[in-house]
Amino acid sequence: MGCVYSRVCIGEVCTPRDGRVKETQNVRTNEIAVFSPESSNGEDGEDGDQLNQLRDPEAGITRLSRVSSQFLPPDGSRTVKVPSGNYELRYSYLSQRGYYPDALDKANQDSFCIHTPFGTNPDDHFFGVFDGHGEFGAQCSQFVKRKLCENLLRNSRFQFDAVEACHAAFLTTNSQLHADSLDDSMSGTTAITVLVRGRTIYVVNSGDSRAVIAEKRGDEIVAVDLSIDQTPFREDELERVKLCGARVLTLDQIEGLKNPDVQCWGTEEGDDGDPPRLWVPNGMYPGTAFTRSIGDSIAESIGVVATPEIVVLELTPDNPFFVIASDGVFEFLSSQSVIDTVAKFKDPRDACAAIVAESYRLWLQYETRTDDITIIVVHVNGLTETSAGQSVSSAAVLRPPVPQVVEVTGSESPSIYSWNSKNQRVRHDLSRARLRAIESSLENGQVWVPPSPAHRKTWEEEAHIERALHDHFLFRKLTDSQCHVLLDCMQRVEVQPGAVVVKQGGEGDCFYVVGSGEFEVFATQEENNGEVPRVLHHYTADKLSSFGELALMYNKPLQASVRAVTSGTLWALRREDFRGILMSEFSNLSSLKLLRSVDLLSRLTILQLSHIADSLSEVSFSDGQSVVKKVDILCKNLFASPHILFLM
């Protein structure tokens, strides 16, 4: 079969141009720019002749460059109107740099853009996530983020045929990256974008990032995938790249640990951290785990193309929100899990923070590192049925860039070319690196050790901290043992009036709980008369205030300062200690040690013990409390003092 989604190779074997290696260029980029422009009725006369502006793509290009350095408001979410649909979009985002123990200063290779409106049309709004990879992945994602938007606005058909314009913009951007001095021979980026135009959204995907929309079905909110990950797990993609000459093997097969002639992988849901990868016929490169991307000129010679898959959806009142995220989110979380989490929060900012925190926690549970994690959450507010009694069904249209349009009624994604409405990639197994780290910890005891408490806390102080942390998204799933260690790790910080605890633009590494006193959050904002400091919030002990959650996960420059209004006390938790608690003997490792001490289980592998450990739940007992009342129950449980761990 040919490349079924390619206009140029339908019915033929897709044979992209020969891969070429360019000389390495040390291209530097600035910090990730966030595109969040003001309303089109803003400065520079944008409230003038809209019709003339719509006809001038360069006006939109100029607008992009002018707003590229702006940031979202201090509350973290923003609302924009869609005039033709008479509804609003409220959105927020979060991009977290990955944690790599061997490369602590590795740049965030994810980037994203938000243009509201997109160009000069107030009905067009654009959201994109770009996941770079390779030595120059960060630069590639930045390049594509910028050029893709420009190419889309410059396309003469953009206002009349968004599908054709998006298809052309992806391919043009890919060609521009190849021609640029930036070395994309073994680097590139995936790209997923959502264009909102009135009541219609266009989802364009090349790679393994994902877009998901929520749909109300009775009392339930169901996740509907608007993109399907383009990886060798898909049978259609696997066959396509093989016809282009790719060898598809896992690392175990490449290293001779498994038979290279027998397919050893199953589904993405059962992925153990060693997915199938693409290799040239006679070499040990490039090893991509995706089948489409922008850049990757060597991988392009074996079928890794930039040609996107496009889905068109008509929004209805049954679509409360949609999500766009990199694969760092979906490595361990299903689409439904993400939708369920977003549905719990009224503010998209809080939803972003909760999903990133849970993704981060799961990465550390199953791996020795975390991927870069980026998410955009967009609420659809105030959308009503169409006029004249016409209701809009949730009809998703898969429209490949070929002369064929597949229309499917109902809410399901089209089932064509093995298109499955549910992505299956959710890992539940430990990676090989994580297994080696656990084995090493069990054998030589080289684990994180919590610091000795520098300040003993009264029971009132501990109770106050526990109330402040209760139901906090970062600490909600800690066990009792982990919570006790966390309390011991929190250090007292005495501050005087006027003292700045954290400074805007600086890098924080602590999370704080307010023990006493009053603190104000302020940020310097750009205005017509220059930079103006503005007070945004006040924190007090009575409000059980805390701040600095994201500092526990990465050292991104802070967007606001916190200053003491009165003398007070803070309880600080360091990032190093928080990570240690998540990965140490006080979590899964202690359960593994317990299980290995049982003769019946002593010969099991670390992976087998890990599966059992995941099935354990902790139950605490007070002195004198009866544990069991029947002797025959003893054979079904494992016991440890001072707590009992029951097999569920």
Side-chain angles (χ1 to χ4, degrees), residues 36 54 83 137 252 299 359 389 415 465 496 508 546 564 625:
S36 56
L54 291 176
D252 277 348
S359 301
S415 55
I465 296 173
Q496 299 301 316
S546 61
Q625 183 178 355

Side-chain angles (χ1 to χ4, degrees), residues 16-327:
R17 63 175 181 77
D18 294 334
R20 57 186 178 81
V21 181
K22 292 181 282 190
E23 294 183 1
T24 301
Q25 300 288 334
N26 186 15
V27 181
R28 299 179 62 86
T29 62
N30 296 325
E31 197 70 25
I32 292 178
V34 179
F35 294 156
S36 56
E38 299 293 336
S39 168
S40 60
N41 294 325
E43 56 186 352
D44 294 349
E46 288 188 6
D47 55 348
D49 188 354
Q50 280 288 342
L51 181 61
N52 290 335
Q53 290 182 351
L54 291 176
R55 294 173 177 171
D56 182 10
E58 294 304 319
I61 301 295
T62 302
R63 192 174 195 285
L64 294 187
S65 62
R66 189 178 72 249
V67 304
S68 63
S69 61
Q70 295 181 1
F71 292 88
L72 290 174
D75 61 1
S77 60
R78 182 179 179 84
T79 300
V80 295
K81 294 183 180 298
V82 184
S84 66
N86 195 28
Y87 68 96
E88 294 180 339
L89 299 175
R90 187 185 184 196
Y91 60 86
S92 191
Y93 65 88
L94 183 58
S95 184
Q96 175 189 313
R97 181 166 64 87
Y99 169 62
Y100 297 88
D102 297 330
L104 295 176
D105 295 327
K106 182 178 179 181
N108 186 350
Q109 294 184 308
D110 283 3
S111 65
F112 64 96
C113 63
I114 300 174
H115 298 288
T116 53
F118 185 46
T120 56
N121 187 344
D123 281 323
D124 287 354
H125 304 276
F126 189 86
F127 306 87
V129 170
F130 309 89
D131 184 354
H133 49 263
E135 182 178 0
F136 304 106
Q139 294 91 328
C140 287
S141 69
Q142 293 284 344
F143 179 96
V144 171
K145 176 184 72 174
R146 182 178 69 257
K147 290 293 185 180
L148 181 65
C149 294
E150 294 178 1
N151 291 330
L152 192 54
L153 287 174
R154 285 196 173 107
N155 190 291
S156 60
R157 299 187 60 83
F158 174 60
Q159 296 296 334
F160 314 103
D161 189 345
V163 171
E164 172 62 29
C166 289
H167 169 248
F170 267 64
L171 298 186
T172 300
T173 303
N174 186 56
S175 298
Q176 289 172 336
L177 181 55
H178 290 335
D180 192 79
S181 60
L182 179 60
D183 182 7
D184 74 337
S185 57
M186 295 279 283
S187 298
T189 183
T190 63
I192 185 161
T193 64
V194 174
L195 170 66
V196 179
R197 171 167 287 175
R199 302 174 66 101
T200 306
I201 63 174
Y202 301 84
V203 182
V204 189
N205 180 48
S206 180
D208 56 0
S209 293
R210 193 180 301 176
V212 188
I213 196 167
E215 181 178 282
K216 295 178 182 177
R217 297 181 185 175
D219 295 332
E220 296 182 343
I221 296 183
V222 178
V224 177
D225 291 314
L226 298 180
S227 64
I228 305 299
D229 304 344
Q230 296 155 354
T231 72
F233 283 110
R234 276 177 53 174
E235 292 184 6
D236 58 335
E237 289 292 278
L238 175 64
E239 291 303 316
R240 182 180 65 78
V241 296
K242 282 185 174 180
L243 287 172
C244 292
R247 290 187 302 157
V248 183
L249 303 168
T250 66
L251 289 176
D252 277 348
Q253 290 177 306
I254 284 289
E255 295 171 359
L257 301 178
K258 293 182 180 179
N259 187 346
D261 298 323
V262 178
Q263 181 171 319
C264 64
W265 62 87
T267 64
E268 287 185 289
E269 189 172 14
D271 178 22
D272 62 353
D274 187 20
R277 298 176 180 273
L278 276 60
W279 313 88
V280 296
N282 298 306
M284 303 281 282
Y285 60 92
T288 65
F290 45 82
T291 55
R292 302 195 187 202
S293 70
I294 298 178
D296 294 293
S297 59
I298 288 180
E300 191 174 79
S301 67
I302 54 173
V304 180
V305 295
T307 307
E309 292 175 330
I310 302 176
V311 166
V312 183
L313 179 75
E314 196 78 8
L315 291 173
T316 78
D318 289 330
N319 299 128
F321 57 84
F322 60 86
V323 176
I324 317 162
S326 63
D327 66 336

Side-chain angles (χ1 to χ4, degrees), residues 287-428:
T288 65
F290 45 82
T291 55
R292 302 195 187 202
S293 70
I294 298 178
D296 294 293
S297 59
I298 288 180
E300 191 174 79
S301 67
I302 54 173
V304 180
V305 295
T307 307
E309 292 175 330
I310 302 176
V311 166
V312 183
L313 179 75
E314 196 78 8
L315 291 173
T316 78
D318 289 330
N319 299 128
F321 57 84
F322 60 86
V323 176
I324 317 162
S326 63
D327 66 336
V329 168
F330 295 106
E331 185 74 16
F332 299 103
L333 291 176
S334 66
S335 297
Q336 187 63 52
S337 297
V338 170
I339 292 299
D340 290 342
T341 300
V342 175
K344 296 177 182 178
F345 298 92
K346 294 182 179 179
D347 193 326
R349 173 195 58 178
D350 297 332
C352 289
I355 291 171
V356 168
E358 180 64 6
S359 301
Y360 190 89
R361 185 188 69 82
L362 290 171
W363 270 100
L364 290 182
Q365 177 179 338
Y366 292 104
E367 286 276 7
T368 57
R369 64 175 183 92
T370 77
D371 195 2
D372 299 325
I373 303 171
T374 299
I375 184 170
I376 301 173
V377 174
V378 183
H379 284 193
V380 181
N381 299 328
L383 186 65
T384 58
E385 297 288 357
T386 54
S387 59
Q390 297 178 349
S391 62
V392 180
S393 63
S394 297
V397 180
L398 170 64
R399 186 174 178 181
V402 297
Q404 177 183 11
V405 179
V406 182
E407 296 186 4
V408 178
T409 59
S411 60
E412 296 297 325
S413 297
S415 55
I416 187 168
Y417 302 128
S418 301
W419 186 280
N420 188 337
S421 65
K422 293 295 182 183
N423 285 291
Q424 300 298 323
R425 185 188 68 204
V426 182
R427 280 178 48 195
H428 298 289

